[in-house]
Amino acid sequence: MIRRRAVILFVVLVVIMMISLAGMSYVLTLSTESKAAYLAGQDLQLQNVVASGAELLKAFAAQSVTARREAGGYQDNPDRFRNVLVFGEEEDSRQGRFSIVAPKINDTRLDGIRFGAENESAKLHLGMLRVWEEEEPGTARLALMRLPGMSESMADSILDWIDADTSPRQQGAEAEFYSQLGMPYAPRNGVPAALEELLLVRDVTRELLFAGDENFNHRLDAAEERLMADDTADGASEEHLPWTSLVTVYSAERNTAESGEPRIDLNTADLARLHQQLVAAVGQEWATFIVAYRQYGPYRGNEPASRGATPTIDFGVSGTYRLRSLLDVVGVSVRIREQDDDRDDRDSSEGTLIIASPFPDDPVEMRSYLPRLLDLTTIDTRKSLYGRINVDEAPAEVLASVPGLDEATASRIVTARAGASADDDPSRQHPTWLLTEGLVDLDTMRGILPYVTSGGDVFRAQIVGYLSKPGPMYRVEVVVDATGTPARLVYWKDLRMLGPAYSREELGAEAASDENQLAGAR
């Protein structure tokens, strides 16, 4: 009997223990599910916070150049892009915020972050290399050789990757090389979809593309510094800007005035309409001279010209001459036939008037009229202009790649632009400040004008989303193209696997929290 009772007691204990374990397992499962649901909800919140940052960047980029400048610009604008509140009141303990950051460049190295975006027009567009090569063979290779760490074999291999043919260059590589690799693939024979695709090109390395910045936080952390030091000691590499800061596949700009209005096409066939548009935009003198230039071309004789004359235009004379550059009208004269002159002999001096250009070849006057001329008029009818290089922001290596510019001139440009900006000096709102400040002459400026700009409407940035309480961060890299309406995302790279990369203090979260606590105490 006693043994039977002991067995029963043992069985009861076992049952109770099993029930307890089952209950504990159920509780643990609920707890795990609760934590998973919480983390999933937190992750969803962070995704929405980052998406809000992308929408803010798109909305900012979609504004006109003037509106962006008045809003503080995209270069370093902490009021717009630092620690932006998405949800939660300022006094709440739980908030969702984001910061939009871009690399701060100091000479030849990355030096942390600024609150803003990168202008892709400050980089060399790989797609434009094909255009340059067609215009002048050898130009594309020379441009690539300006990049740090570039070799002739790498340059030829990159050009073979992006050109349309299947014939390898002297030191290049085409399908025959890539088909013999352990995991064979074919070259794109077109512009890469993203810069990371360059890692597929023969000899191109991560160190060249990213300059040792493995976690993409725009600086070399201690471990990255050690790796770079080891590589440098072995003669493998030296400190340099990453190619991601020097080349792009996205740069473009709207072909509009800074106000957002369409520019006037000076090469249009309808001269009467052109004259009407110009009179409304820039006045009678400019309108008359430009139309006369289109009709008769530049006068190369020795007869004196009169400045400020505004004769009556005979719109029955067609526009025989087309401008190859907006600077064609600078420093020239035009001999115009009077409207009642019925003779066909254009070389006759009778019944003609020689008018001087309202665009004199004088640096002081050019500082006044060139920004207006370049802002309001164009000779290109495309809605978007691709691949022009921003002379106000591009590193020296990129400037030196522009056809017609050498390394010495590029270095002088970088030095000269440190003294002022377009915000301080309106004459610097267009690349012709290189001419007015004596860095290049008129002929050189005419030659490089199709390749350079002071604008750009495609921007790259990292968006970091975070909550007010300690927890995970959501980090992405995006490229926003604002050349069309509405602005659109053309690149999205999830960087969460590389870690948060930035501290909350660096992003301004802690400072905002302290301010909120002080406000609550008051």
Side-chain angles (χ1 to χ4, degrees), residues 48-301:
N48 289 328
V49 167
V50 168
S52 297
E55 290 301 316
L56 173 64
L57 185 58
K58 287 164 59 178
F60 191 89
Q63 299 180 102
S64 68
V65 174
T66 301
R68 289 200 299 248
R69 187 181 296 122
E70 292 174 350
Y74 57 84
Q75 275 287 324
D76 195 1
N77 191 350
D79 291 338
R80 292 277 179 170
F81 301 129
R82 180 175 180 258
N83 203 43
V84 179
L85 181 67
V86 177
F87 65 82
E89 299 296 332
E90 290 287 349
E91 64 274 7
D92 289 348
S93 60
R94 184 167 186 79
Q95 303 165 357
R97 294 178 178 269
F98 66 82
S99 290
I100 299 177
V101 300
K104 184 187 298 181
I105 295 177
N106 184 10
D107 294 330
T108 60
R109 64 173 293 164
L110 299 178
D111 192 24
I113 61 171
R114 53 187 169 84
F115 294 93
E118 289 182 274
N119 185 353
E120 291 293 279
S121 290
K123 305 173 184 180
L124 173 63
H125 195 304
L126 293 178
M128 293 305 298
L129 293 178
R130 299 192 303 182
V131 179
W132 295 359
E133 190 72 5
E134 291 174 1
E135 294 175 350
E136 185 178 348
T139 305
R141 191 180 201 236
L142 181 61
L144 286 175
M145 290 302 297
R146 305 293 191 192
L147 301 180
M150 182 65 70
S151 67
E152 293 182 349
S153 63
M154 272 190 282
D156 280 353
S157 297
I158 291 173
L159 293 174
D160 280 335
W161 187 273
I162 66 178
D163 65 22
D165 64 55
T166 58
S167 301
R169 297 169 189 266
Q170 183 178 2
Q171 300 185 46
E174 281 283 2
E176 182 179 358
F177 170 81
Y178 298 108
S179 64
Q180 297 175 6
L181 299 177
M183 295 184 64
Y185 52 88
R188 179 176 288 274
N189 288 333
V191 181
L195 286 180
E196 288 82 354
E197 189 178 312
L198 290 179
L199 294 174
L200 297 174
V201 178
R202 188 187 68 181
D203 296 338
V204 176
T205 65
R206 288 183 60 85
E207 198 281 327
L208 288 170
L209 198 59
F210 304 120
D213 184 19
E214 296 294 333
N215 62 349
F216 304 119
N217 66 346
H218 306 313
R219 60 171 175 259
L220 292 181
D221 299 322
E224 295 168 342
E225 289 273 15
R226 287 194 294 271
L227 288 174
M228 287 288 292
D230 292 341
D231 289 341
T232 304
D234 295 337
S237 63
E238 295 181 359
E239 188 175 52
H240 61 81
L241 284 175
W243 286 3
T244 52
S245 294
L246 302 172
V247 297
T248 183
V249 295
Y250 298 113
S251 63
E253 59 193 291
R254 298 186 289 258
N255 192 8
T256 60
E258 291 195 352
S259 64
E261 295 296 317
R263 287 176 169 143
I264 301 171
D265 176 20
L266 298 188
N267 280 334
T268 183
D270 190 343
L271 296 186
R273 183 170 183 272
L274 172 62
H275 188 266
Q276 184 181 24
Q277 288 178 312
L278 288 172
V279 168
V282 296
Q284 183 74 31
E285 184 181 10
W286 283 26
T288 298
F289 182 84
I290 291 172
V291 171
Y293 183 97
R294 286 288 316 283
Q295 291 176 322
Y296 304 105
Y299 172 66
R300 307 188 187 281

Side-chain angles (χ1 to χ4, degrees), residues 8 33 42 60 73 117 135 137 146 161-162 204 216 261 320 377 381 386 412 458 499:
I8 294 173
E33 291 292 336
Q42 193 176 60
F60 191 89
E135 294 175 350
R146 305 293 191 192
W161 187 273
I162 66 178
V204 176
F216 304 119
E261 295 296 317
T320 306
T377 66
T381 57
Y386 294 91
R412 289 197 298 270
V458 182

Side-chain angles (χ1 to χ4, degrees), residues 353-417:
L353 176 66
I354 301 172
I355 55 177
S357 174
F359 312 105
D361 185 6
D362 175 74
V364 176
E365 293 195 56
M366 284 193 289
R367 286 172 62 89
S368 174
Y369 71 73
L370 278 182
R372 194 175 175 206
L373 178 67
L374 267 67
D375 183 43
L376 298 177
T377 66
T378 185
I379 58 172
D380 195 325
T381 57
R382 291 175 296 173
K383 292 184 178 180
S384 299
L385 305 176
Y386 294 91
R388 300 203 301 179
I389 293 174
N390 187 305
V391 297
D392 301 320
E393 301 176 35
E397 299 92 329
V398 177
L399 289 174
S401 71
V402 174
L405 289 181
D406 54 26
E407 292 181 341
T409 305
S411 180
R412 289 197 298 270
I413 292 172
V414 172
T415 301
R417 72 189 185 193

